Amino acid sequence: MTTELAKAYDPRETEPRWYRFWEENGFFTASADPADTRKPYTIAIPPPNVTGSLHMGHACRTTFEDVLIRYQRMCGRNALWIPGTDHAGIATQVVVERQLAREKLTRHDLGREKFIERVWKWKGESGGRIMQQLRVLGASCDWSRERFTMDEGLSRAVRHAFVQLYNEGLIYRDTRLVNWDVQSQTVLSDLEVENEENVQGELFDFAYPIEGGGEIVVSTTRPETMLGDTAVAVHPDDPRYTHLHGKHALHPFVDRKVKIITDAVLVDPKFGTGAVKVTPAHDWNDFATGKRHKLEEINILRKDGTLNENAGPFAGLDRFAARKAVKAKLEELGLARGTKAHTLTLPRSQRSGTVVEPIISTQWFVRMKPLAEPAIAAVEQGKTRIIPEHWNKTYFHWMRDIQDWCISRQLWWGHPIPAWYCVPCEHTHVALTAPQACEKCKGPVVQDADVLDTWFSSALWPFSTLGWPDKTPDLARFYPTDDMETGYDILFFWVARMMMMGLHFMGEVPFKRVLLSGLVTDERGDKMSKVKGNVIDPLDVIQGATLEDLLDKARKNGAKDSGLDYLRKTYPEGFAAYGADAMRFTLLSYSPQTSKIALSIKRIEGHRNFANKLWNAARYVLMNLEGHGALATQQRPAAKQFANQFILSRLGATIETVRAAADDYRLDEAGLALYHFVWQDYCDWYLELSKTLLQSQEPGVADETRAVLLHVLESALRVLHPMMPFITEEIWQRVPKAEGLGKTIMLAPYPEAARDGMRDLEVEREMSVLQAVIVAARAIRSERDIHPRLTLPLTLRADDAAARALLQREQEAIASLCKASVSVEALAGSASVDNSATSVAEGVTLVVPLQGLVDDGKEKERIERQLQKLEKDLQAIDKKLGNAGFVDRAPADVVQKERERKAEIEHSCVQLREALAKLQKV
RNA sequence: GGGCGGGUAGCUCAGCGGUAGAGUGUCGCCUUUACACGGCGAACGUCGCAGGUUCGAUCCCUGUCCCGCCCACCA
């Protein structure tokens, strides 16, 4: 074991090395230690999606999960990931559609067999790449259980779930209006439809001639749907139309009469003409209206979005072409009544982006209300905690207003629906295996050609991946999972449905906590999108990239010019190699409350600098240990020296803070505490103080200091390890350690405040006095432009004997940290020093005689400034203490504290005024 | 229309009843053998606006204005 660290810190050198080490030594593991029979800490980890690149979202979630796993493991729990293996559909769909678009193909062109072959191959390749990338980030998870869908076990679970729900009456088949994606040619669930708002459209008015004379004017944003109209509705109380009740209008294009109906639900008499065309087969409200009035439902669309034979003369036209044609024809017939600008919301497919058409179709649905109730109760009763808590409201809101879920999809990938139809008698069979023949008529059967929504199988994931429906040992041991960590964007899609299915099939919640992280955005807070060109690849941040690299990648992803400009403007130099540790630490540093993580490269750079700081501190410690034999024990060294006591106390405090924060999932707070401890307490104060102690001739002092330096460093590495796994491992391997700590820091025990630290509040208080004095002395030097090489003659005066004793005792430390010659004396009766700089800190008066070094005018100004500030504070305090209400009603300790502060400030003012008076005299 | 967040230093964000914090940026001084990916010091804020509760409000309540997101509706 060498004690020598390379001269410079380069994250690119440490990461691959430790990644290999972990892999070779079997630390990427998803399986529980078979010898350990305790209930382990488990975290559910979804598989990476398969779109071909690792994005910030994965980096963020993986990091969070990995930190929790490492932390729990170091705390002595058998902690592990439960990796998932499903997600057949969503990712595939994205991959496939992008690929097809690139080749200007539709899936129908390829044919089913070729198509599927191609998809699996592509998924396998990009999936492997992502696993590789996640490891670079430090995820200590084994993805070997990852198999891409169609896994027989999962398929079986899906069939079981479907059949059971069907038998319980919770799955049914019905003819209804559904969202149809004409490009992907499949139905979509409500959640897969995105609304594009504020689209500038037009409202087109036209007239239906009434049988027997007259007309009725209706408005529409989709004129082509009039081909499917079967009624015109008016409000029953609208006097304008009373005379038309029960009459019929004549359809101008097809041989059909359109009934005038009255409906108070559909019609708002104040909107437009107060008459509404009703198209039951292509509009949600009209469908409901049609049901109320038993209207005929006339479908006018084919699957590809062209009009069918019901459209009469317009058959064969695309829906948008038909829109124009219908309008033109109505103009021609003199039935058009003009257009108005109208702002509307367009429903678009989340997948293909095309405008969704509501059409009538027979699909499978899950009855949600009975499933939702227990899922609501579980969160209400705290069986599952959602963190941050404010998501509860959103969860409840959605759950209480839940609609039935359309689960069939007309795609070629995904889990087939275990339903068979008899060809002759149309009887439906739902079963685990294909029936040989129809049980009613013995006729031949065919399987439902549709597949299930990917989220249906995903909803089963917490138990299907553990062997359900069999009662496997894994299922008994690992269900429910402790933590489920994911982005809030799939709270409804996935989390809520897992809750429902878990409770239904297992009778128990699937996880005890749901941790919802924010969405990573660019620095402006805009969602990352390949088209916008603002996608930051975590690997570029980790390994470094030039601006050209970034631009190339963006171009390849089809970014617009404006996106390229954004990159040029924001990252003119590209990225330095900041390393995975800095990347991880930064992702963790955002508060979990935030729903938007506007990733700031500057912040990452700051954390890279932090890693460098730690690296150099370690170099310092190791340098000073050289030639001093083995010091390492697992015990905290006994400390007699003030500085050593101080840092052990701070270490204890930090461990307490970090553990409390981590237990509360506030990794941001944990990280901040560590950042300050390492940089400020350890490096800025303690390492500087140690320099004097290491020179000490007094027996034992230097040895004690070496032991504390090492102990605190080694402990800090362990505290920090989950958040910065690479650098801490690298340094830890080189630090002298006691035997038996294991071959990796991953398995070393997590520090404990009482064992590794030594809390001493009195020491910390004394230190804060010293710090204040030292800072004040440095300020005197800096503000007078006294060169750092000149020794500052510093006199410290204090009334309090204890304070004097402290200053006396730590004289050497003060001298070294301010490069001063220090003398301590009582305030009372001290000789006045002409031409000196004066400052007051924590009741200690600092005097620096400065003949020839300082200009009196500047000094006057400085003191006056300090006085002004103090007087302002004093005024505020006086106002408070002068308020009878405050003195009477505020807690005694608050009042007392205020009084003490007042006394101290007054004392400071007196000192400063004296100094000022002296200056004016000169 | 309903709901949920957010508005704090130039920027990115913590804090959330008792003297306003961090990182980054800015301005000085310093290449002192752990570190210039650094050290030391400084400047910077009517904590969106208006009321209320309170001895005391950035924090709690009410209203209001912006910004973001989600859900629903849209002839």
Side-chain angles (χ1 to χ4, degrees), chain A residues 402-555:
Chain A
I402 200 161
Q403 302 299 310
D404 283 358
W405 173 19
C406 176
I407 50 168
S408 41
R409 294 290 178 278
Q410 293 66 43
L411 300 170
W412 289 354
W413 53 87
H415 296 281
I417 293 175
W420 288 263
Y421 309 112
C422 173
V423 181
C425 80
E426 296 186 359
H427 180 69
T428 301
H429 303 258
V430 171
L432 292 173
T433 52
Q436 291 300 307
C438 176
E439 52 192 32
K440 272 195 166 171
C441 72
K442 301 294 169 213
V445 293
V446 291
Q447 184 166 12
D448 193 314
D450 292 354
V451 297
L452 289 163
D453 181 4
T454 185
W455 297 105
F456 183 83
S457 50
S458 299
L460 311 176
W461 176 72
F463 46 93
S464 65
T465 52
L466 296 173
W468 187 88
D470 294 337
K471 290 196 165 73
T472 63
D474 272 1
L475 191 59
R477 190 156 177 223
F478 300 134
Y479 189 98
T481 299
D482 288 277
D483 290 336
M484 167 79 216
E485 202 278 335
T486 188
Y488 68 84
D489 50 330
I490 50 178
L491 180 62
F492 303 143
F493 274 116
W494 196 30
V495 176
R497 287 166 177 170
M498 284 192 287
M499 285 291 289
M500 293 188 270
M501 293 302 184
L503 282 159
H504 188 72
F505 289 107
M506 297 295 296
E508 206 181 336
V509 293
F511 19 73
K512 294 175 194 153
R513 281 167 298 268
V514 177
L515 314 173
L516 295 174
S517 63
L519 248 41
V520 184
T521 68
D522 73 9
E523 314 221 357
R524 299 168 297 190
D526 287 355
K527 205 167 166 175
M528 288 191 185
S529 121
K530 293 196 170 174
V531 176
K532 270 192 265 173
N534 59 352
V535 175
I536 304 296
D537 184 338
L539 291 184
D540 286 342
V541 175
I542 291 170
Q543 289 157 359
T546 63
L547 176 63
E548 264 320 301
D549 292 341
L550 298 181
L551 292 174
D552 279 351
K553 196 171 281 185
R555 282 195 203 101

Side-chain angles (χ1 to χ4, degrees), chain A residues 35 196 212 373 501 574 714 718 759 787:
Chain A
E196 183 187 353
E373 275 159 24
M501 293 302 184
E714 195 273 334
R718 282 184 285 131
R759 212 65 215 278
H787 196 276

Side-chain angles (χ1 to χ4, degrees), chain A residues 743-818:
Chain A
K743 60 179 167 181
T744 163
I745 193 172
M746 284 174 82
L747 297 179
Y750 206 72
E752 286 168 34
R755 213 189 69 183
D756 297 293
M758 178 72 212
R759 212 65 215 278
D760 188 331
L761 294 178
E762 179 55 17
V763 164
E764 290 197 36
R765 196 198 56 78
E766 288 183 348
M767 185 64 184
S768 66
V769 173
L770 287 187
Q771 286 173 331
V773 168
I774 290 166
V775 167
R778 283 168 174 170
I780 289 177
R781 177 196 294 279
S782 175
E783 282 171 12
R784 301 304 182 315
D785 294 334
I786 300 169
H787 196 276
R789 266 198 293 274
L790 292 174
T791 299
L792 208 61
L794 177 63
T795 304
L796 302 174
R797 294 170 175 168
D799 282 332
D800 181 32
R804 279 205 304 278
L806 168 68
L807 296 169
Q808 200 82 53
R809 198 185 73 209
E810 298 304 327
Q811 210 172 347
E812 237 179 292
I814 299 169
S816 101
L817 292 199
C818 327

